[in-house]
Amino acid sequence: MSMPVPLFAAVGTIHGCPINIIRRRNAYFKVSSSMDHHNLSKVKSNSLRVLEWDKLCHSVASFARTSLGRQATKAQLWSLDQTFQESLSLLQETNAAILMHNHDSFILDLTSVDLALVESAIKHARRGLPLDANEAMALLSLLQFVEALQLSLKAAIKQDSDWYKQFMPLSQMITQLVVNRSIIKLIQQVIDEDGSVKDSASSALKKARDQVRTLERKLHQLMDKLIRNETKEAALMVASSVDGRWCISSGTDQPTGFKGLLLSSGSGSIIEPLAAVPLNDELQQARVLVAKAEADVLLMVTEKIQMDLDDIEKSLRTAIQLDMIYARATYSLSYGGTYPNIFLPEDIDGPLMAEPYRSKEKNSQASNPKKEWIFYLPKAYHPLLLQQHREKLSTARKNVRSAAAEIRRRKMQAENMAVKGEAEIDLSSLQKQVRALEEAPPVPVDFFISQKTRVLVITGPNTGGKTICLKTIGLAAMMAKSGLHVLSSESAKVPWFDCVFADIGDEQSLSQSLSTFSGHLKQISEIQLQSTRRSLVLLDEVGAGTNPLEGAALGMSLLESFARSGALLTIATTHHGELKTLKYSNDAFENACMEFDEENFKPTYKILWGVPGRSNAINIAERLGVPSTIVDNARELYGAASAEIDEVIMDMETYKQKFQELIKECRHYLTMSRDLHEKLLVSRRKLQDLGAQQRYKKMRELSEAAAVARSTLHKKVRQLRTSTMKQSQLSKASKRKLANNYKHATAVENEPQGTNMSSSSIQVIKQPQSVHVSSLGKRATVLKVDTSKEEIVVQAGIMKLKLKATDVQR
C-alpha cells in the first residue's frame, strides 16, 4: 500500500525559465498514481497550449515593472492551481489595485526599484558579506517605496476611513510592513545618489581620498611638465592611466628626453617616467586605503541592515506580490476588463459570487446577471486578437507619423517634385491602412448559456469564428480563475472551473504514428477520463477527419456521454448536421450557430443562440455562378428533406433576426425613456428648487413687512403709554385734592378714630353705617356686607369699593 506524501513544491519551466512555486497546503498524492498525474499534466499542458494561454501569460507579465515581478506573474498565471477562495482573493487584489490606481495618490509602479539587487543584498547580508553601494541604493529605493505607500494609505484613510475597507486586502498588506527610518537615514548619509560612498561617510575615507586627489594632482603636474619639455614630440604625447599608474603615451617610438620604464611599444610607446614611479606607488597605496575605508562603511551599513533583515525580506516579498497585482490591474485597465462574478458550480441555486467592494448606494443600483445563466459573458473579446489589433493599429499610426515627418524633412530640403509626390502617395496609403484598421475592430461575441445546458453545439461555415469562440470562452474562464478581469462588458458571470480541457486544431502525432483523427480521439479520451463535474471541455470539429456518417455517429455518442456524466459544461463545434438534432431529444443540449452574411458572402462572427446552423455551400455556389444544372443536381442529391429542414432553419434565422431587431428597437426606446425620465427628474428638481426659492422670497418679504409692522406698533404703544401716564398723573392729582377735602371735613366733625375691624366685628356692621377707610384716609358709607367672605362694599364720594373688613375702621 502506497503512503501519502506531502506535496510542498512544484518545480518546472516556462519557456526555458526556471520557476519554483512554493505551496503551503494540505495537498497529497499517492506514489502509485504518478502515471495518472503525468497524464493529467500532459492533457492540461496540451489544452493550455492550444488555447494559447502561454501567450496571454506573457502579455500580462509584460505589465510588471520588475524582472522578479514578471517571472512571478508568469509562474502564478501558468500554474492555474488556485482554489476557489484563492481565486476570490486574487480578484479582490486586482480590484483593490485598480481602485488605488484611480485614486491618483498611490504609486504602485516599481520601475525605480531594482528588486533583483535587493534580493542580492539580502543574500549577502545573510552570509555576513558587505553590500556594495548599488545594492544599498536599491534597498533604499525599496524602503522609500514602502514608506510612500504607507503615507499615501494613511492620507486616504484620514480623508475617508472607508478607503481602508475598499483597498482590502492591499491595505492590510501594506500596513503590516515595517520600515526602519534609521536605515533610510544611514544609507542617505553615507551613499550618494550615483551609488558611490560619500567622503563624509568616515574620517578615514575622507583622509584617504584627499591623499589620492593630492597625489593625482602632483602626477598631472609632473606629466604636464615632462611633456612640455619635449620640444619635438610634445604634440604626440598625452598623459594616461594604465592599470592605475600614470604614464605618458607617445604616438611614435622615438626616444624621449626623460628616463622611464617602457610598458609597451609598437605603433606607439607607453612610458612610466622614473620621476613618477614613487608617486604612482603612493597613489596605489592610497587607493588601497580608500577601498578599505569604503568597505568599512558598507560593512557598517550591512551590520545595521542585519538587525532588520526579516522585515526587509518581507518587504521584498510584498513588493514582488504588489508588482504581480499591478500587472494584472494595469492589464485590465489597458484592455477594458470587467470584474467577473465567479461561483462554485454546486452553488448554482445560490452562487457564492466574488463581488467587488461597492457602497450600498451603488450596490443597490447595480444590475446583477440573471440567475438563469450559468455562463453570462456579454460582448466578450478574444484577448490575443484584441492585443494583435491594437499592436497593428499602433504600428500603422506610427508609420503615418514617420511618413509625415519624412515629408516635412524633404520639403525643408527642397527636393524635386517627383520625390514629393511619391512620398504623399505613400502617406495616403498608410492613412488608408489606419482607417481600415479603425473601421474593422475585433467583433465581440455574446455567451448566454443557461443553467440546464450541459452541452452546447455550435455550427457554422469555415472561417466563421467557431474556433475563436471556443478559445474566447476558455481564456475567459482561466482569466477569472487566475484573478484577471475578463474582457467583456459589465455583469460577467463565470463559473469557477477546476480545469479547462481543450481539443483544438491538428493534433497529428508523427512520433506515435497517429493520424489527425486518431490524435483527436486520444486527446478526447484522456479529457473524458480526467474531467470532473467542475470542468470545462472545449471540442473543435468533433467527429471530423473520418467518414462523415461514422464521424457524426461517434460525435453524437461522445457528446451524449459528456452530457450524462462528463464535465460541468461541454462546448463543441461541428459541421455534422446530425448533431443539431440532439437538442430536440435531450434538454441538456443547446444549439448555436455562427451568423453568415449571404449577400456579401462573408461571416459576421456573431453567434445566433438557439438556432442550428444550415448549409450554405449550394446557395453560395449558385451565387458564384456555378452552372444551374450542377446546382440543381446537387440539391437533388442533397435531398428534399434536408432542403426542407434548411428552409425551416432559414425561417428560424429570419424570425431570429427580426426578433433581434425588435429587441434592439425596444432597447433604443428604453434608452430614450430613461433619458426622458432623467430629464423629467432634472426638471422636477429645478421646479422644486424654484418653488423653494419663491417660498424663501415670500417668507423674507413677509418677515420684512412684519418687522415694519412691529416697529410701527411699538411706536404707537409707546405713544399710548405716554398719554396714559399723563392722564394717570392728572387723575392722581385730582384724587389727592379730593382726599384733602375729606380730611378737612373729618377734622371739622372732630370724631376720634376707631380701630380696625376684626373678623368677629363684621357681623355688627349695619347698613348704611359709616366707616373709615385707611387706604383712602376718609369716611365711606357701607352699602353691602358679605359675612361669609368677610368683605364689605362701601361708597366714598363717587367711588364704590369692595374691601376686606380689616381694611376699614369703625
Side-chain angles (χ1 to χ4, degrees):
M1 180 178 177
S2 59
M3 297 296 294
V5 181
L7 177 62
F8 293 105
V11 181
T13 60
I14 298 179
H15 303 298
C17 298
I19 58 171
N20 293 292
I21 307 168
I22 300 175
R23 299 296 174 201
R24 301 181 184 275
R25 302 184 194 147
N26 296 323
Y28 296 90
F29 69 95
K30 292 186 177 181
V31 177
S32 60
S33 62
S34 60
M35 185 59 68
D36 294 336
H37 180 74
H38 172 73
N39 292 337
L40 177 60
S41 299
K42 185 177 179 181
V43 173
K44 286 178 64 177
S45 62
N46 287 337
S47 299
L48 296 180
R49 178 179 56 81
V50 297
L51 290 171
E52 300 179 288
W53 179 243
D54 55 337
K55 294 181 180 179
L56 184 60
C57 293
H58 180 77
S59 176
V60 177
S62 66
F63 284 87
R65 289 295 175 260
T66 66
S67 58
L68 295 182
R70 286 188 287 273
Q71 293 174 10
T73 302
K74 287 181 182 179
Q76 183 256 323
L77 292 175
W78 182 258
S79 64
L80 277 176
D81 61 348
Q82 297 86 7
T83 64
F84 175 69
Q85 291 298 330
E86 287 174 340
S87 296
L88 290 179
S89 299
L90 290 173
L91 285 170
Q92 290 169 358
E93 290 172 357
T94 304
N95 194 68
I98 292 175
L99 290 176
M100 282 187 170
H101 180 275
N102 295 334
H103 194 272
D104 292 333
S105 61
F106 291 88
I107 300 177
L108 294 176
D109 192 333
L110 280 155
T111 304
S112 61
V113 184
D114 192 336
L115 295 183
L117 278 178
V118 176
E119 186 180 40
S120 175
I122 292 174
K123 289 179 180 179
H124 287 164
R126 289 284 186 199
R127 297 172 185 172
L129 301 175
L131 280 66
D132 63 32
N134 290 327
E135 290 174 344
M137 289 303 296
L139 180 58
L140 173 65
S141 299
L142 174 64
L143 296 179
Q144 289 176 332
F145 170 80
V146 173
E147 187 179 42
L149 266 185
Q150 291 180 338
L151 291 175
S152 299
L153 181 61
K154 289 179 181 178
I157 295 173
K158 185 178 180 181
Q159 181 183 5
D160 186 355
S161 60
D162 197 41
W163 281 119
Y164 184 86
K165 185 177 180 180
Q166 294 190 47
F167 293 149
M168 282 292 289
L170 298 192
S171 52
Q172 183 179 7
M173 190 185 304
I174 294 171
T175 53
Q176 288 178 348
L177 298 178
V178 178
V179 177
N180 191 340
R181 281 289 307 167
S182 62
I183 295 178
I184 295 178
K185 291 181 180 179
L186 176 62
I187 296 176
Q188 289 175 334
Q189 288 173 357
V190 301
I191 308 294
D192 211 341
E193 292 182 358
D194 60 358
S196 61
V197 181
K198 293 182 179 180
D199 290 353
S200 59
S202 71
S203 59
L205 177 61
K206 187 177 186 305
K207 181 179 179 181
R209 284 182 173 172
D210 288 342
Q211 186 179 0
V212 168
R213 284 190 284 268
T214 301
L215 291 170
E216 286 181 339
R217 184 171 60 254
K218 290 180 179 181
L219 282 166
H220 276 293
Q221 293 173 354
L222 176 61
M223 297 297 170
D224 187 55
K225 180 180 179 181
L226 292 174
I227 292 173
R228 283 199 309 269
N229 291 337
E230 293 292 323
T231 57
K232 295 181 180 180
E233 306 294 337
L236 300 176
M237 291 184 179
V238 63
S240 61
S241 178
V242 179
D243 295 332
R245 302 181 71 86
W246 285 97
C247 306
I248 294 178
S249 301
S250 176
T252 65
D253 291 331
Q254 298 296 325
T256 60
F258 57 85
K259 296 180 180 180
L261 303 175
L262 182 61
L263 301 182
S264 67
S265 62
S267 58
S269 60
I270 299 177
I271 301 173
E272 181 180 359
L274 289 179
V277 171
L279 291 176
N280 275 329
D281 291 340
E282 289 183 34
L283 180 61
Q284 295 284 14
Q285 294 174 1
R287 284 173 175 165
V288 170
L289 293 177
V290 168
K292 183 179 181 304
E294 289 178 349
D296 291 340
V297 171
L298 293 173
L299 183 60
M300 180 263 296
V301 173
T302 304
E303 291 173 351
K304 179 68 175 178
I305 290 172
Q306 286 175 334
M307 300 172 62
D308 296 89
L309 206 54
D310 291 337
D311 292 335
I312 294 173
E313 193 166 11
K314 183 178 180 181
S315 296
L316 172 63
R317 292 196 303 268
T318 303
I320 295 174
Q321 188 175 0
L322 287 174
D323 201 21
M324 295 166 57
I325 299 169
Y326 176 82
R328 299 199 303 267
T330 49
Y331 176 85
S332 175
L333 290 169
S334 177
Y335 288 96
T338 302
Y339 191 102
N341 296 315
I342 62 172
F343 61 95
L344 289 172
E346 56 265 30
D347 295 332
I348 270 182
D349 293 335
L352 175 61
M353 294 186 180
E355 289 286 354
Y357 183 85
R358 299 185 180 96
S359 64
K360 293 182 179 179
E361 180 180 357
K362 292 182 179 179
N363 199 27
S364 63
Q365 297 175 356
S367 56
N368 293 325
K370 296 180 179 179
K371 289 187 176 181
E372 63 263 25
W373 308 118
I374 190 176
F375 215 121
Y376 188 87
L377 206 62
K379 292 181 174 56
Y381 287 95
H382 188 292
L384 298 179
L385 284 183
L386 189 60
Q387 176 186 347
Q388 186 182 35
H389 178 265
R390 289 193 177 186
E391 290 174 351
K392 288 182 178 179
L393 185 58
S394 176
T395 303
R397 288 172 175 169
K398 183 178 179 181
N399 292 337
V400 169
R401 290 194 297 269
S402 299
E406 178 66 16
I407 291 173
R408 289 193 298 270
R409 187 185 67 81
R410 292 185 180 183
K411 285 183 178 180
M412 291 178 64
Q413 293 179 353
E415 290 191 357
N416 57 69
M417 296 300 295
V419 175
K420 290 183 180 180
E422 182 181 352
E424 290 176 0
I425 293 173
D426 183 55
L427 178 61
S428 177
S429 64
L430 291 174
Q431 290 174 339
K432 287 181 180 179
Q433 292 179 10
V434 172
R435 286 194 296 270
L437 287 170
E438 290 175 343
E439 293 172 359
V443 179
V445 292
D446 297 321
F447 290 100
F448 306 137
I449 304 176
S450 63
Q451 291 185 8
K452 66 179 182 179
T453 301
R454 298 291 305 281
V455 178
L456 174 65
V457 179
I458 303 177
T459 54
N462 290 326
T463 69
K466 299 189 301 297
T467 304
I468 293 298
C469 287
L470 286 183
K471 291 185 177 182
T472 300
I473 200 169
L475 290 174
M478 292 189 292
M479 290 171 70
K481 183 179 180 180
S482 302
L484 290 168
H485 286 190
V486 296
L487 305 189
S488 72
S489 63
E490 291 295 330
S491 302
K493 178 181 176 183
V494 182
W496 182 88
F497 296 105
D498 60 357
C499 194
V500 178
F501 296 100
D503 176 57
I504 299 174
D506 187 0
E507 294 299 314
Q508 184 173 5
S509 177
L510 297 178
S511 61
Q512 300 182 16
S513 301
L514 296 175
S515 65
T516 301
F517 179 71
S518 301
H520 280 295
L521 282 184
K522 188 175 185 300
Q523 178 78 355
I524 293 174
S525 177
E526 292 293 337
I527 289 174
Q528 193 168 28
L529 289 174
Q530 303 295 343
S531 61
T532 69
R533 299 290 292 179
R534 288 184 175 182
S535 301
L536 172 64
V537 175
L538 307 171
L539 304 177
D540 189 27
E541 298 297 346
V542 63
T546 186
N547 179 277
L549 294 177
E550 290 183 343
L554 185 58
M556 293 177 69
S557 179
L558 282 172
L559 295 183
E560 286 178 340
S561 174
F562 276 110
R564 285 193 305 270
S565 59
L568 170 68
L569 180 62
T570 301
I571 303 177
T573 66
T574 183
H575 278 98
H576 295 301
E578 291 82 357
L579 271 63
K580 309 172 190 176
T581 62
L582 291 172
K583 172 185 176 180
Y584 307 106
S585 60
N586 191 335
D587 291 337
F589 283 79
E590 181 58 88
N591 284 333
C593 69
M594 305 306 298
E595 188 180 44
F596 187 82
D597 186 356
E598 293 187 10
E599 293 183 1
N600 298 315
F601 298 105
K602 64 179 182 179
T604 63
Y605 304 109
K606 296 180 179 179
I607 298 180
L608 298 177
W609 291 93
V611 178
R614 61 187 180 86
S615 175
N616 295 289
I618 298 177
N619 293 332
I620 292 174
E622 184 178 20
R623 295 210 177 192
L624 290 175
V626 175
S628 59
T629 55
I630 297 176
V631 173
D632 294 339
N633 188 31
R635 285 200 174 103
E636 184 177 352
L637 293 174
Y638 185 60
S642 299
E644 291 177 359
I645 292 175
D646 284 343
E647 290 295 329
V648 172
I649 293 174
M650 183 183 294
D651 292 339
M652 292 178 65
E653 288 185 2
T654 302
Y655 288 132
K656 186 83 172 182
Q657 290 175 356
K658 291 182 179 179
F659 180 68
Q660 294 294 336
E661 291 175 359
L662 290 174
I663 290 178
K664 185 177 181 180
E665 186 178 358
C666 290
R667 287 176 177 170
H668 173 67
Y669 286 125
L670 180 60
T671 303
M672 291 179 61
S673 299
R674 287 176 177 171
D675 293 341
L676 181 60
H677 178 65
E678 291 178 359
K679 291 178 181 178
L680 288 173
L681 290 177
V682 171
S683 299
R684 187 177 71 174
R685 284 195 295 270
K686 289 182 178 179
L687 288 173
Q688 290 174 347
D689 294 341
L690 181 61
Q693 292 175 1
Q694 292 294 330
R695 286 194 298 273
Y696 176 75
K697 182 179 179 181
K698 291 295 183 183
M699 290 176 64
R700 186 176 59 187
E701 291 176 352
L702 288 173
S703 178
E704 292 175 353
V708 173
R710 282 194 299 271
S711 177
T712 304
L713 182 60
H714 289 164
K715 184 177 180 181
K716 293 292 184 181
V717 168
R718 285 194 298 272
Q719 292 176 353
L720 182 61
R721 284 179 178 174
T722 303
S723 175
T724 304
M725 289 176 64
K726 289 181 179 179
Q727 292 179 1
S728 177
Q729 289 175 357
L730 291 174
S731 177
K732 286 181 179 179
S734 300
K735 289 180 180 179
R736 281 196 299 272
K737 185 177 180 180
L738 182 62
N740 291 333
N741 292 334
Y742 275 107
K743 285 181 180 179
H744 181 70
T746 53
V748 173
E749 292 178 0
N750 198 21
E751 182 176 345
Q753 297 291 326
T755 59
N756 291 339
M757 300 180 71
S758 64
S759 59
S760 58
S761 61
I762 192 171
Q763 297 178 357
V764 298
I765 295 177
K766 303 295 182 181
Q767 300 176 14
Q769 184 179 348
S770 177
V771 294
H772 181 77
V773 182
S774 302
S775 59
L776 296 178
K778 62 181 180 180
R779 290 179 179 274
T781 303
V782 178
L783 299 179
K784 185 179 179 182
V785 178
D786 189 347
T787 57
S788 62
K789 295 182 179 181
E790 296 184 355
E791 292 178 345
I792 60 176
V793 178
V794 299
Q795 183 170 359
I798 62 173
M799 294 185 298
K800 287 186 178 180
L801 302 172
K802 181 183 288 187
L803 303 172
K804 291 289 187 180
T806 55
D807 293 336
V808 299
Q809 296 175 347
R810 294 182 61 185

